[in-house]
Amino acid sequence: MSENPSPESHDRAESAVGCLLAVVGVAVAGAFALPRAAYSIDGGFEAHARDWGVILVDLPLILFAGLVVPPLTWAAAVRRFRPWTAALVCLAVAGLALWGLATWWHPRQGPDPGYGPGI
């Protein structure tokens, strides 16, 4: 066996890292978004505040972005930079994506203002 890996094994390693990033990305996106959307999914008292837009649109788009953005960033960055630098680029893009999501996305977190304690 030679000490230098073949180009095929190098490509397989890059592909494996991309798949791993997809799994980690969707797990991190889910761990970030699901607790924030829990009230919209549960709906509070008698499911009064259930928000189907969060359930059917927002969460699937967030999970899809978590699945797609990290491997695409890895694929683009690994062509231009060394693998460790590409990993740092992926980490920076994921951090910026989560920061942007936290800044932009505010699902309902508590009961409506009109609902207070009873008499």
Side-chain angles (χ1 to χ4, degrees), residues 64-81:
F64 180 72
L67 180 72
V68 172
V69 170
L72 287 179
T73 305
W74 171 258
V78 82
R79 290 179 184 264
R80 196 154 187 71
F81 305 115

Side-chain angles (χ1 to χ4, degrees), residues 8-30:
E8 183 179 313
S9 67
H10 185 67
D11 290 342
R12 282 187 183 171
E14 287 179 0
S15 297
V17 170
C19 292
L20 180 67
L21 284 172
V23 171
V24 169
V26 78
V28 168

Side-chain angles (χ1 to χ4, degrees), residues 3-99:
E3 293 181 18
N4 295 333
S6 67
E8 183 179 313
S9 67
H10 185 67
D11 290 342
R12 282 187 183 171
E14 287 179 0
S15 297
V17 170
C19 292
L20 180 67
L21 284 172
V23 171
V24 169
V26 78
V28 168
F32 179 80
L34 288 174
R36 295 185 75 179
Y39 188 79
S40 296
I41 294 170
D42 180 35
F45 180 68
E46 293 182 350
H48 172 72
R50 181 169 287 151
D51 188 0
W52 289 100
V54 170
I55 298 168
L56 297 175
V57 177
D58 294 348
L59 285 178
L61 286 176
I62 291 168
L63 293 176
F64 180 72
L67 180 72
V68 172
V69 170
L72 287 179
T73 305
W74 171 258
V78 82
R79 290 179 184 264
R80 196 154 187 71
F81 305 115
R82 293 181 181 200
W84 64 271
T85 310
L88 290 176
V89 169
C90 287
L91 187 63
V93 168
L96 286 173
L98 287 176
W99 172 75

Side-chain angles (χ1 to χ4, degrees), residues 90-112:
C90 287
L91 187 63
V93 168
L96 286 173
L98 287 176
W99 172 75
L101 182 63
T103 302
W104 170 74
W105 187 56
H106 299 289
R108 182 178 293 168
Q109 294 297 316
D112 291 334

